[in-house]
Amino acid sequence: MLTLFSLQAVSGEEQAERVSTHSFKVNDFVLSNQYKKNMPQSFPKEIISIFALADRKGSDQLEDWITPFYKRYGERVDICGVANMKGLPKMLRPMLRGIFKKSIEYPVMMDWTGATCEAFKYTAGVADIFIVDRNGLVVHRIRGEANEQKLKDCYAVIDRLIKEKDAEAAAEENAQSQGKDPQAPESTSDAPMQES
């Protein structure tokens, strides 16, 4: 039964390698997890998100991505698993939810129609990892099996995003403590400010 998850063939080893990042914005969406609980994803978020998409075949590669991310970042990032379930008969949904409940401790969003995975331009047969900033912009994408170099590349992106967020929070806190509006730009000349 589990082989039903793999609906498309992998076209070669190049699919498992690094993907050039063509940034795009993730639209808000809602999927339910294996416990039938809705997991709305909307932007902006307070923290950076890592979306890990996979079909049945690609799911074998997920643990080597998710475990290192969780160990390194814990609750400082939002790790979101999405299972591509497109094409599976509705009558199998209860059984598949049960399999997920028994075999996976963390919540996984179930994409029964495949619409969310298609919006991400998911690559079938491999784990597809998307690092998304707080505003919903995909800033890094990588797929296939995890290895040390791929993880280092991801860590560099995530660390930079966290550092930027911390710097913004510190600037806002500093501005508030000085009684300034952190959103208002400072005028550096005697000329009147212009709105664009």
Side-chain angles (χ1 to χ4, degrees), residues 78-113:
D78 189 13
I79 301 173
C80 308
V82 180
N84 187 359
M85 313 293 263
K86 181 180 178 181
L88 295 173
K90 284 187 179 182
M91 64 183 178
L92 293 179
R93 290 182 184 183
M95 180 193 72
L96 295 171
R97 284 186 194 274
I99 291 170
F100 272 76
K101 286 179 195 177
K102 289 178 184 175
S103 60
I104 301 172
E105 295 177 19
Y106 51 86
V108 176
M109 291 179 271
M110 316 295 275
D111 186 6
W112 299 109
T113 67

Side-chain angles (χ1 to χ4, degrees), residues 123-189:
T123 301
V126 295
D128 214 345
I129 309 299
F130 299 82
I131 299 172
V132 180
D133 74 9
R134 292 180 300 141
N135 294 314
L137 186 69
V138 173
V139 294
H140 188 71
R141 178 184 183 184
I142 199 157
R143 61 186 172 205
E145 294 181 6
N147 62 39
E148 188 177 341
Q149 186 58 54
K150 288 180 181 179
L151 286 166
K152 282 182 179 178
D153 292 346
C154 290
Y155 296 157
V157 173
I158 296 166
D159 291 348
R160 178 181 52 81
L161 292 172
I162 289 174
K163 187 176 179 180
E164 288 172 3
K165 177 192 178 283
D166 291 347
E168 286 175 21
E172 284 182 25
E173 187 177 307
N174 185 33
Q176 287 176 355
S177 69
Q178 294 180 9
K180 296 180 182 176
D181 180 359
Q183 302 299 322
E186 290 186 21
S187 179
T188 58
S189 72

